[in-house]
């Protein structure tokens, strides 16, 4: 698939997107069977829409939630209100993950690059990542690669560990175990517009990755956040209270009056891009107990200071 096709799909009406996604879902369930697949349910707005859409066709489809301990209390409360959801947990706690691997900051891509580049300095391995951080990596034409991260080279000297492993340990690991134990393959509510990596993945496999190592369906990948919010309003779908209300501005654009994102409360990915009040500043007002734990107990304060993010 090319980027033009993705852009065309993203520009479709919500009604057309619903029809298109339902076809992809039906193909998936037909291939693996009702007992051979499940909806990966985080309690967030995207997976809430996915679960509602899938169950509009297959009411008895299984859902699975990974209880990492990093979710907003309102998210966990909402998940528990939904029927037929398997709840699983990771082997390690988040404080153990950051102690062993490091803090998740900037993005998964940058965190991985920093972690591996540091190894290159001592072992001579992963020099590709080191070159990216130093801004010297060349593409096939001999020009500086567009994937260089020179801007973040200063993180090599950060007085704390940096890694992208938290998601692998806290979410992907338990999900992989669930797959091995049940044989069920996932439908996931990720959107291509959320990151370059997710865009690349969608361009490579489309909605249904039948040939992936673990077959994975992302039937909403070509949707936008506006589609998600419009769907919740149009079909009066219950969602986690932490989002607040879904309203429209003067131009008709939907937004939430509460949290805009509800991933892991303790995640630093993308926080440097947020305008004030950012996620941590909001957390200080809405969830002071969790805020104190993150900033002081887990040591995120000095980390945010280092990357110049107010909190």
């Amino acid at each position: 698939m090319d980027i033009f096709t993705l852009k065309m799909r993203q520009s479709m009406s919500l009604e057309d997107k619903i029809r298109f996604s339902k076809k992809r879902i039906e193909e998936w369930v037909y291939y693996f069977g009702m007992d051979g697949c499940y909806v990966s349910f985080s309690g967030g707005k995207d997976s809430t829409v996915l679960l509602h859409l899938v169950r509009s066709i297959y009411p008895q489809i299984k859902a699975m939630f990974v209880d990492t301990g990093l979710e907003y209390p309102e998210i966990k409360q909402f998940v528990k209100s939904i029927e037929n959801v398997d709840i699983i947990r990771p082997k390690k706690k988040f404080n153990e993950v950051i102690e062993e691997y490091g803090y998740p900051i900037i993005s998964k891509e940058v965190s991985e690059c920093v972690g591996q580049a540091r190894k290159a300095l001592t072992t001579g391995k992963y020099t590709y990542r080191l070159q990216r951080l130093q801004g010297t990596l060349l593409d096939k034409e001999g020009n500086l690669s567009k994937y260089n991260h020179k801007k973040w080279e200063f993180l090599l000297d950060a007085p704390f560990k940096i890694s992208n492993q938290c998601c692998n340990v806290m979410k992907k690991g338990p999900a992989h175990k669930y797959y091995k134990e049940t044989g069920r393959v996932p439908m996931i509510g990720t959107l291509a517009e959320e990151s370059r990596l997710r865009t690349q993945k969608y361009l490579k496999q489309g909605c249904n990755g039948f040939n992936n190592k673990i077959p994975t369906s992302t039937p909403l990948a070509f949707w936008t956040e506006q589609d998600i919010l419009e769907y919740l309003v149009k079909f009066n779908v219950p969602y986690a209270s932490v989002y607040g209300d879904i309203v429209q501005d003067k131009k008709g654009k939907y937004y939430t009056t509460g949290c805009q994102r509800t991933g892991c409360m303790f995640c630093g990915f993308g926080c440097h891009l947020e305008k004030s009040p950012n996620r941590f500043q909001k957390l200080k007002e809405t969830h002071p107990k969790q805020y104190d734990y993150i900033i002081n107990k887990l040591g995120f304060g000095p980390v945010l200071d280092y990357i110049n993010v107010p909190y």
Side-chain angles (χ1 to χ4, degrees):
M1 184 189 305
D2 56 31
I3 191 67
F4 175 78
T5 302
L6 171 58
K7 295 294 184 183
M8 181 182 67
R9 290 180 181 178
Q10 288 175 327
S11 66
M12 291 163 57
S13 68
L14 178 60
E15 289 74 19
D16 287 340
K17 287 180 177 179
I18 291 172
R19 283 193 288 268
F20 191 95
S21 293
K22 281 187 174 182
K23 289 181 180 178
R24 302 290 84 77
I25 292 166
E26 288 169 350
E27 289 173 358
W28 193 254
V29 176
Y30 176 80
Y31 189 87
F32 291 104
M34 272 281 292
D35 295 329
C37 52
Y38 71 94
V39 175
S40 179
F41 182 49
S42 69
K45 60 183 187 301
D46 300 343
S47 66
T48 296
V49 167
L50 176 60
L51 184 61
H52 185 272
L53 188 62
V54 175
R55 286 188 172 173
S56 70
I57 312 171
Y58 307 103
Q60 302 305 315
I61 200 82
K62 177 71 71 176
M64 185 274 283
F65 170 72
V66 182
D67 182 2
T68 65
L70 309 178
E71 297 81 16
Y72 284 90
E74 295 90 340
I75 290 289
K76 293 180 67 173
Q77 184 179 8
F78 174 64
V79 169
K80 291 179 179 179
S81 72
I82 305 299
E83 295 182 353
N84 199 18
V85 179
D86 286 343
I87 298 178
I88 63 176
R89 293 175 177 81
K91 291 182 178 179
K92 293 187 177 183
K93 296 180 180 179
F94 185 64
N95 63 308
E96 297 173 329
V97 173
I98 59 174
E99 182 178 344
E100 181 175 352
Y101 299 105
Y103 291 89
I105 56 172
I106 309 305
S107 70
K108 291 181 181 179
E109 189 176 7
V110 171
S111 289
E112 179 193 24
C113 197
V114 173
Q116 301 290 18
R118 283 179 166 180
K119 292 180 181 179
L121 292 172
T122 57
T123 67
K125 299 180 179 179
Y126 309 108
T127 55
Y128 162 78
R129 268 84 169 191
L130 181 59
Q131 289 173 4
R132 287 179 67 185
L133 274 184
Q134 294 174 334
T136 60
L137 184 68
L138 303 179
D139 60 23
K140 294 180 180 179
E141 284 71 42
N143 301 314
L144 289 177
S145 172
K146 64 180 180 180
Y147 301 122
N148 281 333
H149 294 305
K150 176 69 175 176
K151 177 181 179 180
W152 305 110
E153 184 181 10
F154 76 95
L155 292 175
L156 283 171
D157 300 319
F160 47 83
K161 294 180 180 179
I162 298 171
S163 171
N164 69 326
Q165 287 300 308
C166 58
C167 188
N168 292 333
V169 175
M170 304 299 288
K171 290 186 176 180
K172 291 183 179 180
H176 182 66
K177 182 182 178 184
Y178 184 79
Y179 163 70
K180 291 179 66 175
E181 291 178 347
T182 67
R184 297 192 182 101
V185 295
M187 288 177 276
I188 302 175
T190 54
L191 308 182
E193 72 169 8
E194 293 174 322
S195 72
R196 183 176 65 84
L197 291 177
R198 288 182 175 177
T199 295
Q200 289 178 333
K201 188 172 183 180
Y202 184 71
L203 294 178
K204 182 179 180 180
Q205 73 170 37
C207 290
N208 290 337
F210 290 102
N211 298 320
N212 291 356
K213 186 175 181 180
I214 297 179
T216 303
S217 175
T218 54
L220 305 184
F222 60 97
W223 289 36
T224 66
E225 183 184 32
Q226 284 298 294
D227 297 320
I228 296 295
L229 295 175
E230 183 182 351
Y231 184 99
L232 290 170
V233 172
K234 184 173 183 177
F235 295 98
N236 196 28
V237 181
Y239 59 88
S241 62
V242 71
Y243 285 109
D245 297 323
I246 300 174
V247 296
Q248 290 178 283
D249 62 19
K250 294 180 180 179
K251 295 182 178 180
K253 183 178 181 180
Y254 289 96
Y255 66 95
T256 57
T257 59
C259 289
Q260 274 71 58
R261 59 174 297 281
T262 59
C264 299
M265 282 190 295
F266 306 173
C267 184
F269 290 148
C271 66
H272 63 293
L273 300 174
E274 297 176 351
K275 296 180 180 179
S276 184
N278 61 35
R279 70 188 68 170
F280 296 109
Q281 291 171 321
K282 291 178 180 178
L283 195 67
K284 184 177 181 179
E285 300 299 322
T286 61
H287 299 77
K289 182 179 178 180
Q290 287 82 357
Y291 172 87
D292 178 67
Y293 181 74
I294 295 169
I295 299 301
N296 300 313
K297 303 293 194 306
L298 292 179
F300 258 89
V303 174
L304 296 176
D305 286 334
Y306 196 84
I307 60 175
N308 198 32
V309 172
Y311 56 90

